[in-house]
Amino acid sequence: MRTIPDVNTVALAVTDGMLHFELALAYEVFGSAPAGVPGLWYDVVVCGPGTVRAGRFGLEPDHGLDRLPHADTVIVPGWADVDEDPPAELVDAVRAAHEAGARVASLCTGAFVLAAAGLLDGLRATTHWAHTDVLAARYPHVTVDPDVLYVDNGSVLTSAGKAAAMDLCLHLVRLDHGSSIANTAARRLVVPPQRDGGQAQFVATPVPAPDSHPLAELFPWVLERLDQPLTVDDLARRARMSSRHLGRHFRAATGTTPLQWLLTQRIRHAQALLETTDDSVDAVAAATGMGTAATLRRHFNRTVGVPPDTYRRTFRSRTGELHRRP
């Protein structure tokens, strides 16, 4: 049985040919604790075969690739040239880390490294939309989904490109420390606190302009009324458009439907209440517009993967305690 230490060690696996953006992004998320985090944060180490080049930047790793199997989480940044096979020593080290019990996550085209290691066989995975066809053709045992931001298979995770890499990193923080801390980390980084993995990679307006987008006033209005039984018709009336036009604008702005977006906001609010209050599940259900505890439990379990009571016991904010993932 693998022993989990008090600090979650995150190892960034690097070799020549890595994309510097995803590498720097991961280091920024896991390398600096947000203000007010109870307990300990991550211990980040950079592991590589020696001095490596990431784009135009030179990098001196802290350890060799043989350090990866000793990490709790291994992050594989984007691989610059998907037409070339990733180095065998990197592939072997990532496979060894997974076999040792590490959680392994790829950012962008880092999925090609995980696929070469056999970690994605029989699993659903994603990568940057421009390379999903190549990934699927080269590794036919992988179910490649080109239409999502990231895929969480438990111990193996993959993300799409650039901004989606940030989404996956914050998702990992949320798993380890809970929704409240992940939101604090997102505020420090000045990025949206959560985009669900199932959201489309490409949407017409990923960040709506506050003054010009047709739904700019609707989003905050809804978030202030999550305790109310809002319907699509209610949202359409508030936005002064038909339900059909509302759905079209929602799809363009968020990549999902109004009802799915609304459910996501309710679940997110429920997570925060479960972490930070002593409210009963019935009270949380009422505060999030779910109506009954049974309805909240059904949607929460389906979306988050655990019942509300289990989530509270696991991620409840207690000073001096590090939140553990289930």
Side-chain angles (χ1 to χ4, degrees):
M1 178 68 68
R2 181 181 178 82
T3 301
I4 302 297
D6 292 334
V7 180
N8 189 336
T9 300
V10 174
L12 306 181
V14 300
T15 61
D16 286 335
M18 288 291 177
L19 297 174
H20 62 273
F21 179 87
E22 287 79 3
L23 174 61
L25 180 153
Y27 191 88
E28 183 65 25
V29 171
F30 299 111
S32 301
V37 173
L40 300 173
W41 193 240
Y42 299 95
D43 178 23
V44 178
V45 294
V46 179
C47 301
T51 302
V52 301
R53 298 291 301 179
R56 298 184 64 181
F57 302 96
L59 188 66
E60 292 287 347
D62 304 308
H63 303 278
L65 290 172
D66 57 354
R67 177 70 170 76
L68 295 186
H70 301 281
D72 301 293
T73 299
V74 172
I75 304 293
V76 182
W79 180 246
D81 190 349
V82 299
D83 293 327
E84 291 187 7
D85 291 332
E89 58 182 340
L90 173 63
V91 173
D92 291 343
V94 169
R95 184 188 300 114
H98 182 258
E99 291 173 351
R103 177 177 60 181
V104 180
S106 65
L107 308 181
C108 192
T109 49
F112 283 80
V113 178
L114 272 59
L119 304 189
L120 301 181
D121 287 354
L123 297 179
R124 181 166 155 264
T126 194
T127 188
H128 191 289
W129 61 266
H131 304 293
T132 51
D133 289 345
V134 178
L135 183 65
R138 189 174 303 167
Y139 301 100
H141 295 298
V142 181
T143 302
V144 180
D145 190 338
D147 297 322
V148 295
L149 296 178
Y150 58 84
V151 177
D152 182 348
N153 289 300
S155 63
V156 179
L157 305 92
T158 55
S159 85
K162 305 303 179 185
M166 175 70 78
D167 294 316
L168 178 54
C169 289
L170 289 174
H171 173 68
L172 293 174
V173 172
R174 186 171 295 104
L175 291 176
D176 295 340
H177 293 275
S179 181
S180 178
I181 297 302
N183 292 345
T184 301
R187 284 194 296 271
R188 182 182 70 83
L189 296 164
V190 198
V191 296
Q194 178 176 352
R195 293 196 301 168
D196 294 320
Q199 182 171 315
Q201 283 197 36
F202 180 80
V203 293
T205 314
V207 183
D211 298 327
S212 62
H213 195 273
L215 303 182
E217 295 182 1
L218 180 64
F219 290 138
W221 183 85
V222 172
L223 294 177
E224 293 174 358
R225 294 166 175 78
L226 290 177
D227 60 326
Q228 301 178 18
L230 298 172
T231 66
V232 174
D233 288 339
D234 293 330
L235 272 60
R237 279 193 296 270
R238 178 66 186 182
R240 298 182 181 87
M241 62 181 67
S242 68
S243 297
R244 178 177 296 181
H245 281 113
L246 178 76
R248 192 172 299 133
H249 282 300
F250 253 92
R251 178 65 67 178
T254 70
T256 190
T257 66
L259 275 181
Q260 185 58 50
W261 180 86
L262 181 58
L263 176 61
T264 298
Q265 309 317 308
R266 295 191 193 282
I267 295 296
R268 185 185 302 172
H269 188 37
Q271 288 176 295
L273 292 175
L274 290 168
E275 293 173 24
T276 60
T277 75
D278 293 319
D279 293 351
S280 67
V281 175
D282 289 284
V284 172
T288 57
M290 293 288 190
T292 67
T295 301
L296 172 62
R297 286 191 174 97
R298 183 173 68 254
H299 288 295
F300 196 95
N301 198 14
R302 185 175 62 189
T303 303
V304 181
V306 294
D309 305 283
T310 302
Y311 183 88
R312 167 171 274 166
R313 287 195 300 270
T314 305
F315 295 121
R316 182 72 188 270
S317 296
R318 289 194 289 257
T319 303
E321 180 179 273
L322 177 68
H323 300 282
R324 308 307 306 174
R325 57 184 179 273

